[in-house]
Amino acid sequence: MREMYFQPEIETMPREELEKLQSERLVKQVRHVYDNVKMYHDRMDEQGVKPEDIHGIEDLHLLPFITKDDLKEQYPTGMVAVPLRDCVRIQSTSGTTGRRVVAYYTMEDVLIWDECCARAIVAAGGTKDDIVHVCYGYGLFTGGPGLNGGSHMLGSLTIPMSSGNTERQIQFLIDMQATIICCTPSYAYTIAEQITAKGLKDKLHLKAGIFGAEPWTEEMRHDIERMLGVTAYDIYGLTEISGPGVSWECEAHAGLHIQEDHFIPEIIDPATGEVLPDGQIGELVFTCITKKAFPLLRYRTRDLCTLTHEKCACGRTHARMGRLLGRTDDMMIVKGVNVFPSQIEQVLLNNGYLANYQIVVDRSEHNRDFMEVQVELTPDMAASNDVPVEEREKKLVAALRSMLGIGVDVKVVPPMTIPRSEGKAQRVIDKRKLYGV
C-alpha cells in the first residue's frame, strides 16, 4: 500500500494547531533576527516595530519586506544570524546578474531541508524501497543537494548523477532500475527525447518524476509523462529560503503544499505591498520561522501565483500555492504589452509543438521592438511533411497575436535545431539595450 505521508502528524495537523505553532515560532524568530542581523534591526527600527510588537501570525504584516537586492548588498555574511563556526554549509544563486546571494545553513537547517524534501518524495509515491536518480546540478546549486538529502532521510538508494552527460544518465536509469527521477523539466524532456529516439522506453522502471527549478506548463507535464512513463510532480524552492522542498505536489495535483511549519506564505500586490486574499494572483512572499543561520522575514520572491488554505483531498492541511504564472522580474514589455514566456509556451504546446523553443527580442534601428519565436518541428511533423512550414508559421503567428495582443514573428525550424539544456533552460534572449538592465 502506498505511504501517504512522511510526517503525518505535521502534514495533517489541524489548521488551528498549525497556526498556533507558526505564531510561537514567528515570535521567537523575530527576536532572533532582530538581535543578530543588523539590517533587520535597522529596518524594524525605521518602521517603528519592535520584537515585542509581534504576538503571532496576525502581526506578520507589521514587519518590513526584504528583496534579493537587499541580500546582494549584504554579501557575503551580512545576513548571517549565527556565528560562522555554527554553520556547516553554504549554497548560492548563480550570480549571472551581479553579486551572488550566499545562503548559510546550520546542521539543524540542513536536517529541516532534508525533511521537507523527504516529504516531497513520499508525496510522489516514494518509499525506502525506491531508487532515486537525482540529475539536478550539485555544487552550489540547491537542486541536487536538496533531493539528495531528502532521499537519504527517507532511506532510499540514491544515485547522485548531477546534470549533464545524457548518455550516461540513460545508462544508469536503465541499469540501476531507477524508479524516481529528479531534475528540471527541460532536462527531463531532453532525456525523454533521447530515450524515445533510441526506442528504450520499455527498458525503464520509472514510476515518478519530481521536476522543478523552472516554470513549466501542464502540456509539458503530459508530454514528459507520456515519453517517460511517469507521473510528474512539481516541486518549488529558492536558494534564499532553503532550496527545493519549500512546496511540492501530492497525487491530487491541486497545487503545491507549502511546508507551513517552516515557511509562512503571503500573496501581496506587487505594486502596493497589500496582502491579498486567497485566490487572487499576486507576488509570493515567504517568512522562515525555523531557519537559524539565514532566516528571512517577508522575503519577496518575485514569483506570481495564488494561494489557498483549503484542506486538500489528500488530507494535508498546509496552504497550497498555484502553479507559477510568471515572475515580476521576468515579465517582458514588448511594444508596450506585458508578455510572459509561459504564455508563448502555452500557445506552442496547444498547437502540437513540443517544449523546444526560444524567444528573441530586439529593437530595430527605428527604436521599434520586435520579437521572434523560434520553435522546432516534432520528429513526426518533420517526417510527415504534410503541412508547409510557411503555413505552420502563419497559424502560430495568429495564435500568438490572439494570446498576446501583439504581432510576433515565428520561425519554424527542423528537430534538434535549438540547443538543449542540462539545467535551467534559457528561453529568452533579450538583445535590447534597456535602461536599468
Side-chain angles (χ1 to χ4, degrees), residues 287-329:
T287 293
C288 304
I289 52 176
T290 55
K291 283 191 71 176
K292 295 304 177 188
F294 198 75
L296 303 186
L297 306 180
R298 303 199 84 193
Y299 178 70
R300 297 184 60 159
T301 67
R302 302 299 182 190
D303 288 324
L304 297 170
C305 66
T306 61
L307 280 184
T308 179
H309 287 80
E310 292 182 0
K311 185 177 180 179
C312 182
C314 73
R316 293 179 177 86
T317 55
H318 295 212
R320 284 167 287 146
M321 54 184 278
R323 181 176 286 275
L324 295 184
L325 302 172
R327 287 178 56 83
T328 60
D329 53 358

Side-chain angles (χ1 to χ4, degrees), residues 44-105:
M44 289 176 63
D45 283 354
E46 289 169 8
Q47 205 151 307
V49 182
K50 298 294 183 182
E52 50 269 26
D53 296 326
I54 307 301
H55 304 287
I57 56 175
E58 68 275 7
D59 298 320
L60 184 61
H61 69 281
L62 299 175
L63 296 169
F65 294 113
I66 64 164
T67 67
K68 195 166 190 173
D69 287 340
D70 294 323
L71 303 187
K72 290 178 179 180
E73 289 176 6
Q74 298 299 314
Y75 174 89
T77 59
M79 295 296 295
V80 181
V82 299
L84 283 181
R85 66 177 179 274
D86 293 339
C87 297
V88 299
R89 174 159 347 147
I90 66 165
Q91 303 287 163
S92 176
T93 59
S94 63
T96 53
T97 58
R99 280 186 174 182
R100 291 177 178 267
V101 172
V102 178
Y104 293 75
Y105 300 74

Side-chain angles (χ1 to χ4, degrees), residues 248-424:
W248 36 258
E249 280 186 315
C250 68
E251 70 273 14
H253 298 292
L256 287 77
H257 292 271
I258 297 168
Q259 306 313 288
E260 281 196 281
D261 52 324
H262 301 299
F263 315 105
I264 300 177
E266 300 173 274
I267 292 289
I268 65 167
D269 183 316
T272 67
E274 174 191 2
V275 178
L276 300 176
D278 278 11
Q280 289 198 22
I281 298 171
E283 181 181 346
L284 183 60
V285 173
F286 278 118
T287 293
C288 304
I289 52 176
T290 55
K291 283 191 71 176
K292 295 304 177 188
F294 198 75
L296 303 186
L297 306 180
R298 303 199 84 193
Y299 178 70
R300 297 184 60 159
T301 67
R302 302 299 182 190
D303 288 324
L304 297 170
C305 66
T306 61
L307 280 184
T308 179
H309 287 80
E310 292 182 0
K311 185 177 180 179
C312 182
C314 73
R316 293 179 177 86
T317 55
H318 295 212
R320 284 167 287 146
M321 54 184 278
R323 181 176 286 275
L324 295 184
L325 302 172
R327 287 178 56 83
T328 60
D329 53 358
D330 279 353
M331 181 185 74
M332 300 175 287
I333 301 177
V334 182
K335 301 179 182 178
V337 174
N338 295 345
V339 175
F340 290 97
S342 58
Q343 295 174 298
I344 295 171
E345 181 169 309
Q346 181 180 338
V347 168
L348 299 180
L349 292 169
N350 285 346
N351 281 272
Y353 297 86
L354 301 179
N356 302 312
Y357 67 93
Q358 201 157 60
I359 303 163
V360 180
V361 186
D362 208 341
R363 183 161 286 172
S364 73
E365 60 184 12
H366 302 295
N367 285 322
R368 293 179 180 175
D369 290 340
F370 62 90
M371 181 163 65
E372 180 182 82
V373 178
Q374 301 170 1
V375 57
E376 286 185 359
L377 291 170
T378 67
D380 289 343
M381 288 175 177
S384 65
N385 198 28
D386 56 345
V387 181
V389 167
E390 295 79 7
E391 188 174 329
R392 293 184 181 279
E393 292 174 343
K394 185 177 179 179
K395 183 178 179 181
L396 287 175
V397 166
L400 287 167
R401 178 180 285 278
S402 177
M403 168 66 79
L404 305 176
I406 59 173
V408 174
D409 294 331
V410 173
K411 183 177 182 181
V412 173
V413 299
M416 306 305 292
T417 301
I418 296 172
R420 268 39 181 179
S421 169
E422 295 179 344
K424 293 187 181 183

Side-chain angles (χ1 to χ4, degrees), residues 170 173-174 178 195 200-206 227-229:
I170 295 171
L173 283 168
I174 293 171
I195 285 173
L200 297 175
K201 181 180 176 181
D202 290 345
K203 295 185 179 295
L204 295 175
H205 291 76
L206 291 172
M227 296 166 77
L228 289 180

